[in-house]
Amino acid sequence: MSQITIFKAKKIITMDPNCPEASHVAIRDGKILAVGGADCAEPWGGTQSRDDRLKDTVLMPGFVEGHAHMMAGAMWQYAYAGYHDRIDPDGKLWPGMQDIDAVISSLKTHEAALPADTPLVAWGFDPIFLPSARLNRHHLDQISPDRPVAVIFSNFHLMCVNSAALALAGYGPQTEAEGVLKDSAGAPTGELQEMAAMFPVMRRMGVDFRSLAQQEGSIRTYGEVAKRAGVTTITDLFSTMEPEDLEVMLKVTAEPGFPLRIVPAQGAIGATPEQIAAKAKSMAEQSTNKLRLGAVKLMTDGSIQGWTARVKWPGYVGGHPNGLWNTAPAQIYELCEVMHREGVQMHIHVNGDEAAEVSIAALEAAMRKNPWPGHRHVLQHCQMMGVDQFQRCAELGISANIFANHIWYFGDQHAALTIGEERAQRMDASRSALDAGVNITLHSDAPVTPLAPLVTAWCAVNRQTMSGRILGEAQRISVMEALHAITLGAAHTLKLEAEIGSIEVGKEADFAVLGADPTAVDPLALRDVPVLGTVSGGEVHLL
């Protein structure tokens, strides 16, 4: 019989209503054998050992991040150009830059150290915070007139490039492509919106999110990033994995000591709906304990703060035109019908409420044609969804993964510059979703915002913006509701709630190791609860 290890903790928050708190948890074969007091494993006999390494910590179920991207760790090979301070996978603090001059200065320093034939790529920039002129090719030409320069915005839906990069893609006054912005004289400004406009430049500059995500080092770095956040299960929510990539993923995730379960969702692009569904089903057959395959991700609209999300009337404050469709409504209907018919779970990106409206209607049409009670389809971001839309989701069995971080990171800007005060008050409406009976989770969309589930929970609980105001008090949720969302709620969206999300007998021994009790601190201090590491399948990974 296998060894039984009994961990002692200051407190164990189980998320199991039958045994909400405990002091000990027993593990055998990487799974939870018993939960309770010091003698919880006594009925099981066998060889038992006690591990007191965690005796001064608080344990929770390992956090489950239902919307992140595996390039979150690998992006640090590029220059950081963001407004907010960020911490890299090695724990190094990178100060934010509060004006364009600071960005240009930092990138000039970075450019001077690059080999002559290497393009300069930066990421994390967000013009919505800067009161100066919008970043354009003339700014980036100051960094280098000859070397291609690309600055990817924090939302990853837009980028700005210099003249050399525009020339690489053949973009000029003659270009009529959607998403290639032009100035009053008809010349490209350097700003490119959404993938159709961005991809020609990215391809020529060697910016390949697939290769960034699928390298062995990137996968291991993803594990390190997750460990620092208390995350034991995470998504890669727009995977472009090919067969050779899958071999690498299977190899790395099977390595002893790898601290993470990964759930990729294949991007629903580049093939017919039938081919996409067939690939997803084929991949599902190769799932393992640490790698769960078979879901797909649909992209509909763009980003609210980039003004590329599709929004209902009255549109954007200031008269910006409505956003762009990454996938046209007719294609959304077709994809939803085929994926649902073929039994493939869908995660659907919806930032604007018009995108949500089309997606809900497409899902309902698919369900009428081919009933499937256990579909578990998930709308992702859900930022502008109203009560009516959440009620329809509840009726249809659709979950909502809500981008609560926007309240802190962009709330002030949304109220003033994108959707106006009234709609900003109800954006990322976790309370409305729960009251409608929708299963919710909360996410970071890392690397768009930092991977940190306790910060994400803090955003949903407090709804405080960067200026300190409360944006939408009626949409606050309780601490326990937020903790449920980043554990069992997220597990439900991944169809894994029988295996993870709570500390109870039979589930994987995956824990977040914390330095304080998140249910005992002031709700305003929730984001400050220290993460000390994780336990994954019974293996301790402390920072």
Side-chain angles (χ1 to χ4, degrees):
M1 185 178 292
S2 302
Q3 170 85 31
I4 298 170
T5 302
I6 302 167
F7 286 99
K8 178 183 179 181
K10 184 187 302 182
K11 181 178 180 180
I12 300 173
I13 302 169
T14 68
M15 305 306 293
D16 174 11
N18 299 299
C19 176
E21 296 180 9
S23 58
H24 292 73
V25 57
I27 297 169
R28 188 173 73 190
D29 299 327
K31 295 183 181 294
I32 298 166
L33 180 68
V35 185
D39 60 350
C40 63
E42 190 173 303
W44 294 99
T47 304
Q48 301 186 11
S49 66
R50 298 188 177 270
D51 191 324
D52 288 343
R53 282 179 290 173
L54 309 178
K55 64 182 177 64
D56 295 322
T57 72
V58 174
L59 299 184
M60 277 196 64
F63 298 138
V64 182
E65 173 56 83
H67 190 138
H69 302 276
M70 204 149 62
M71 60 189 182
M75 289 305 300
W76 289 97
Q77 67 183 264
Y78 297 139
Y80 179 60
Y83 179 86
H84 297 96
D85 294 351
R86 295 286 287 260
I87 296 175
D88 69 17
D90 296 323
K92 179 180 177 180
L93 174 68
W94 292 83
M97 288 156 270
Q98 276 72 56
D99 57 56
I100 287 179
D101 289 342
V103 172
I104 293 171
S105 175
S106 175
L107 295 185
K108 279 183 176 179
T109 300
H110 186 83
E111 190 271 342
L114 288 175
D117 58 349
T118 302
L120 190 160
V121 180
W123 68 283
F125 180 77
D126 204 317
I128 203 166
F129 294 112
L130 309 182
S132 55
R134 199 163 174 90
L135 188 70
N136 59 54
R137 61 184 169 91
H138 301 295
H139 293 121
L140 300 187
D141 285 346
Q142 297 176 42
I143 298 167
S144 175
D146 305 312
R147 186 195 303 272
V149 176
V151 177
I152 302 169
F153 288 15
S154 68
N155 54 44
F156 287 81
H157 286 265
L158 298 90
M159 68 193 314
C160 190
V161 302
N162 70 346
S163 299
L166 288 170
L168 275 182
Y171 286 156
Q174 79 289 349
T175 302
E176 298 297 334
E178 185 177 43
V180 179
L181 268 62
K182 294 184 178 180
D183 59 24
S184 58
T189 66
E191 183 169 325
L192 308 175
Q193 298 184 345
E194 301 300 333
M195 287 305 300
M198 293 162 56
F199 182 71
V201 171
M202 291 170 61
R203 180 165 60 84
R204 289 167 175 83
M205 290 182 64
V207 180
D208 181 357
F209 291 153
R210 173 193 159 209
S211 65
L212 272 179
Q214 299 299 331
Q215 300 166 8
E216 287 191 27
S218 300
I219 302 168
R220 293 191 182 95
T221 300
Y222 206 35
E224 289 302 308
V225 171
K227 182 173 70 177
R228 290 183 176 278
V231 171
T232 54
T233 299
I234 197 168
T235 54
D236 180 20
L237 214 69
F238 200 78
S239 172
T240 52
M241 214 184 326
E242 296 299 336
E244 61 270 25
D245 303 320
L246 179 55
E247 290 181 17
V248 175
M249 286 284 287
L250 288 167
K251 172 181 177 290
V252 175
T253 55
E255 291 175 350
F258 186 72
L260 194 59
R261 304 180 200 281
I262 302 179
V263 185
Q266 192 74 16
I269 56 171
T272 67
E274 289 78 11
Q275 290 169 332
I276 293 167
K279 181 178 181 180
K281 290 161 73 173
S282 174
M283 282 193 162
E285 296 174 356
Q286 301 185 67
S287 293
T288 67
N289 184 255
K290 287 288 188 75
L291 184 65
R292 295 302 175 89
L293 304 158
V296 300
K297 164 80 176 294
L298 278 63
M299 287 291 296
T300 62
D301 64 341
S303 157
I304 302 173
Q305 72 270 30
W307 291 279
T308 59
R310 294 290 304 192
V311 300
K312 289 182 176 183
W313 188 91
Y316 286 108
V317 171
H320 289 274
N322 206 348
L324 306 177
W325 289 108
N326 280 298
T327 305
Q331 292 175 286
I332 295 170
Y333 271 81
E334 185 181 9
L335 282 162
C336 285
E337 179 178 342
V338 173
M339 298 305 136
H340 186 82
R341 184 190 71 211
E342 295 300 315
V344 175
Q345 186 196 24
M346 288 175 278
H347 297 266
I348 305 178
H349 164 115
V350 290
N351 263 319
D353 46 4
E354 183 186 1
E357 191 74 19
V358 169
S359 299
I360 294 168
L363 287 170
E364 182 174 11
M367 292 176 198
R368 288 183 182 276
K369 291 183 179 180
N370 297 283
W372 176 20
H375 59 78
R376 301 278 187 92
H377 301 314
V378 186
L379 297 185
Q380 298 284 342
H381 300 324
C382 312
Q383 295 214 67
M384 295 181 65
M385 286 175 61
V387 173
D388 61 314
Q389 293 177 324
F390 285 123
Q391 288 172 338
R392 290 166 64 197
C393 286
E395 292 169 356
L396 297 170
I398 300 167
S399 289
N401 193 349
I402 296 173
F403 200 174
N405 282 15
H406 260 249
I407 300 300
W408 166 258
Y409 283 96
F410 303 104
D412 293 321
Q413 286 69 34
H414 286 315
L417 302 173
T418 67
I419 59 176
E421 181 70 26
E422 293 83 4
R423 286 179 293 173
Q425 290 280 342
R426 65 164 176 83
M427 74 183 304
D428 299 300
S430 300
R431 178 80 275 145
S432 291
L434 285 175
D435 288 350
V438 176
N439 175 73
I440 74 163
T441 183
L442 310 166
H443 68 270
S444 67
D445 199 9
V448 176
T449 65
L451 178 65
L454 287 176
V455 173
T456 303
W458 176 91
C459 290
V461 168
N462 295 287
R463 294 186 66 90
Q464 188 178 100
T465 71
M466 286 174 55
S467 68
R469 66 173 292 199
I470 305 304
L471 186 63
E473 185 170 2
Q475 291 300 333
R476 286 172 159 180
I477 62 176
S478 71
V479 169
M480 283 306 296
E481 287 170 328
L483 295 179
H484 185 279
I486 61 174
T487 53
L488 279 169
H492 180 91
T493 68
L494 304 179
K495 297 190 172 186
L496 290 175
E497 76 276 14
E499 302 172 51
I500 60 173
S502 61
I503 300 177
E504 55 184 305
V505 175
K507 291 194 174 184
E508 302 288 350
D510 292 358
F511 315 137
V513 184
L514 308 178
D517 179 355
T519 67
V521 301
D522 187 304
L524 281 170
L526 183 60
R527 64 179 176 179
D528 301 318
V529 170
V531 174
L532 307 179
T534 61
V535 177
S536 177
E539 295 182 344
V540 178
H541 302 278
L542 297 178
L543 300 180

